[in-house]
Amino acid sequence: MASVMEDPTLERHFKGHKDVVSCTDFSPNNKQLATGSCDKNLMIWNLAPKARAFRFVGHTDVITGVNFSPSGSLVASSSRDQTVRLWTPSIKGESTVFKAHTASVRSVHFSSDGQRLVTASDDKSVKVWGVERKKFLYSLNRHTNWVRCARFSPDGRLVASCGDDRTVRLWDTSARQCINIFTDYGGSATFVDFNSSGTCIASSGADNTLKIWDIRTNKLIQHYKVHSAGVNCFSFHPSGNYLISGSSDNTMKILDLLEGRLIYTLHGHKGPVLAVTFSRDGDLFASGGADSQVLMWKTNFDSLNYRELLSRHSKRVTPDPPPHLMDIYPRLPHRHYAQNGTVEINPIVADTQSGDPQVVEVGRVLFSTADVRSHDVRTSSRDQPISGSDSGRARTHTRHRDEEDEERFPGGRTTSAAEHLGIPSSLTSTLENIVQQLDILTQTVAVLEERLTLTEDKLRTCLDNQVLLMQQTQQVDRSDEETEGSSV
């Protein structure tokens, strides 16, 4: 496969984040790139040269995950502030808030139809949300430690999750049950995802490994140990033939899954690589790391139109799964280690297309303590409270500012949003207290829900044991009667 490829090249270098870049995702039309950071900001980079970038402000802690909806009309972000936000990736910066987790939210992912979200959290749960009705649907509770990542399968019928309990779990979304557990990790399982056909899942670990499992046979079919430190993230090429991984050894590796070997080692980041993702057509991939850099790379793996191929797969109505790379090669589980002769790429990191883009900041919360210019305050009528277990409420409002505003209002007087709207400070304080109390109520409901689920499980176990005990008692009584009958 390597003979038809050009070496990956660095195309763009985006500057704007002030802290570690933790996550990244391309829009479906490949015109935008979303990145999240420990600076608490979500950035939307327009890939057209000299186009403006957007900085979305609203999260109060580190952003841990970001994902575009299949239509590209929404961007979801997860954060250590225990919330998930849905953003409109435009100058309006409208957002809504999901809250039902009681600890940091580690990842967020849309289903292929855009109707559901799945989130993973340090509260040991995986939660599924309805996007259209903006409500919490149900929890998946079997992990015994922090859950680091959760992903929908391409058809939306399964969810894969992994975490610090050193397991990868597969869930049936219809039955809402765990249907399989993959173990064999020497440390935390850090990331998990499905291949494009949905027949395999890959998982990475803090033990420096990448593993690929066939979920039809529930067997490990490929095992790579090509990094010298923990693997933090990876991404399948849309063809399913290649995989790129990012590691704390400061490198990215590109694997040829058909030939089962490492083909490229990419340098460029000056610290751990925490995020990598392919674009939807596979022509680009982006990476982010602890050095606050966002790099965009170009490659030319294949000329096949994968979007058309995947569209045909999604229209299949037969129960047989579509063919995938493991049907041909390799047949048996095998390990892959770094080999001599792999191509090392160490580019000079520079923005080759444009200077630093103009950044427009949007998405301030109305009742935050931050100050805004009086002429910049804009309230979105589409902002709505989102309930977790039908109880959580949060409200976000938006604003925007660009260089034209600075030119028209140099040194303008700074006032708070509440003052601009004529709201008394006492009322503002009361509203803030109400919001805080509602957040506490949301967390309490979430905890009660988990305890109720555990109680139901224990009750079900007790009933099963009681039925089993009754059956055993009946069998003993029958045997006693038969013994007495035979003695008579």
Side-chain angles (χ1 to χ4, degrees):
M1 290 296 168
S3 61
V4 301
M5 293 192 295
E6 298 176 358
D7 291 344
T9 56
L10 182 62
E11 288 287 301
R12 298 282 298 273
H13 175 208
F14 297 101
K15 298 179 181 179
H17 283 299
K18 300 177 182 179
D19 207 334
V20 174
V21 177
S22 54
C23 50
T24 182
D25 190 37
F26 282 94
S27 64
N29 61 8
N30 298 320
K31 292 184 178 180
Q32 292 180 314
L33 176 68
T35 57
S37 169
C38 292
D39 63 11
K40 308 176 187 177
N41 295 327
L42 170 70
M43 297 287 295
I44 302 291
W45 310 91
N46 290 298
L47 303 188
K50 299 182 180 180
R52 293 186 298 179
F54 299 102
R55 178 183 290 118
F56 292 87
V57 180
H59 282 295
T60 59
D61 208 332
V62 172
I63 294 178
T64 57
V66 63
N67 188 226
F68 271 95
S69 66
S71 66
S73 59
L74 294 172
V75 177
S77 60
S78 58
S79 172
R80 287 185 186 173
D81 64 11
Q82 305 181 13
T83 70
V84 171
R85 284 179 179 262
L86 285 181
W87 306 87
T88 302
S90 68
I91 189 67
K92 295 181 180 180
E94 298 166 347
S95 71
T96 49
V97 182
F98 289 75
K99 184 165 186 179
H101 284 293
T102 58
S104 299
V105 186
R106 292 276 190 162
S107 75
V108 62
H109 187 240
F110 280 97
S111 59
S112 57
D113 60 6
Q115 298 299 308
R116 291 170 294 163
L117 280 172
V118 63
T119 56
S121 172
D122 286 357
D123 63 10
K124 307 178 187 178
S125 73
V126 175
K127 294 186 184 293
V128 178
W129 313 76
V131 175
E132 184 175 358
R133 298 184 62 185
K134 300 179 174 63
K135 66 177 297 183
F136 168 77
L137 298 179
Y138 56 88
S139 290
L140 303 172
N141 299 298
R142 283 295 181 272
H143 281 284
T144 58
N145 208 328
W146 294 353
V147 189
R148 289 181 175 264
C149 184
R151 290 289 187 270
F152 277 111
S153 62
D155 61 11
R157 293 184 297 179
L158 301 174
V159 165
S161 61
C162 67
D164 285 6
D165 59 3
R166 303 185 180 187
T167 68
V168 175
R169 291 177 179 265
L170 201 61
W171 308 83
D172 184 326
T173 58
S174 298
R176 304 180 184 180
Q177 296 291 328
C178 179
I179 58 176
N180 206 353
I181 304 175
F182 301 96
T183 56
D184 191 27
Y185 283 92
S188 299
T190 57
F191 199 87
V192 66
D193 202 2
F194 290 85
N195 67 346
S196 55
S197 64
T199 55
C200 293
I201 59 172
S203 57
S204 60
D207 58 358
N208 312 352
T209 63
L210 274 163
K211 298 177 181 179
I212 300 180
W213 311 78
D214 189 325
I215 61 175
R216 299 172 300 178
T217 61
N218 297 326
K219 292 183 178 179
L220 176 67
I221 52 179
Q222 289 195 0
H223 180 184
Y224 295 89
K225 194 167 186 178
V226 294
H227 286 286
S228 58
V231 183
N232 300 313
C233 53
F234 61 84
S235 178
F236 278 105
H237 188 263
S239 67
N241 296 339
Y242 306 98
L243 182 145
I244 184 171
S245 57
S247 168
S248 294
D249 64 10
N250 304 355
T251 69
M252 291 168 283
K253 307 278 187 177
I254 296 181
L255 307 173
D256 186 327
L257 301 181
L258 286 177
E259 297 186 5
R261 67 186 183 93
L262 172 67
I263 53 178
Y264 287 111
T265 298
L266 288 83
H267 305 269
H269 288 282
K270 298 178 182 178
V273 182
L274 302 177
V276 291
T277 185
F278 276 108
S279 61
R280 301 300 198 269
D281 59 9
D283 289 341
L284 302 169
F285 61 92
S287 59
D291 56 4
S292 307
Q293 293 188 111
V294 178
L295 306 181
M296 188 176 75
W297 309 72
K298 183 175 178 59
T299 189
N300 184 26
F301 285 155
D302 293 307
S303 59
L304 183 63
N305 186 339
Y306 296 111
R307 187 170 293 181
E308 180 182 348
L309 178 65
L310 294 176
S311 177
R312 291 203 304 268
H313 282 337
S314 66
K315 293 177 181 178
R316 290 171 62 100
V317 294
T318 62
D320 299 327
H324 73 308
L325 60 101
M326 300 308 168
D327 288 333
I328 304 172
Y329 181 88
R331 287 283 185 179
L332 301 175
H334 56 295
R335 290 175 177 263
H336 306 274
Y337 294 92
Q339 304 172 8
N340 294 328
T342 59
V343 179
E344 297 268 344
I345 299 177
N346 193 358
I348 298 175
V349 177
D351 190 339
T352 60
Q353 292 192 10
S354 65
D356 295 345
Q358 174 190 353
V359 177
V360 180
E361 190 170 293
V362 294
R364 286 285 183 189
V365 179
L366 177 62
F367 295 112
S368 68
T369 57
D371 290 337
V372 296
R373 295 187 186 278
S374 60
H375 62 274
D376 283 335
V377 179
R378 296 189 179 182
T379 303
S380 169
S381 61
R382 294 168 60 183
D383 287 346
Q384 301 178 21
I386 307 303
S387 60
S389 300
D390 295 329
S391 300
R393 287 189 171 84
R395 176 177 293 175
T396 60
H397 293 264
T398 61
R399 73 167 182 119
H400 80 276
R401 179 188 66 204
D402 55 28
E403 291 184 357
E404 294 179 359
D405 290 331
E406 293 293 337
E407 293 172 359
R408 289 179 306 191
F409 302 93
R413 187 177 69 88
T414 301
T415 60
S416 69
E419 290 173 356
H420 174 73
L421 295 177
I423 300 176
S425 59
S426 59
L427 178 58
T428 301
S429 177
T430 302
L431 290 173
E432 288 177 346
N433 290 332
I434 291 174
V435 171
Q436 292 175 0
Q437 294 300 320
L438 288 173
D439 288 343
I440 295 172
L441 178 60
T442 300
Q443 297 177 19
T444 303
V445 170
V447 171
L448 291 175
E449 179 207 19
E450 292 182 5
R451 291 182 177 177
L452 178 61
T453 302
L454 293 174
T455 303
E456 290 175 347
D457 292 342
K458 291 180 179 179
L459 179 60
R460 189 179 297 108
T461 301
C462 290
L463 292 174
D464 293 341
N465 291 337
Q466 185 177 3
V467 171
L468 182 61
L469 182 61
M470 291 177 63
Q471 292 175 347
Q472 292 175 347
T473 302
Q474 291 175 355
Q475 291 176 356
V476 170
D477 292 341
R478 290 195 192 107
S479 61
D480 290 343
E481 291 176 359
E482 291 174 357
T483 303
E484 292 176 359
S486 59
S487 60
V488 173

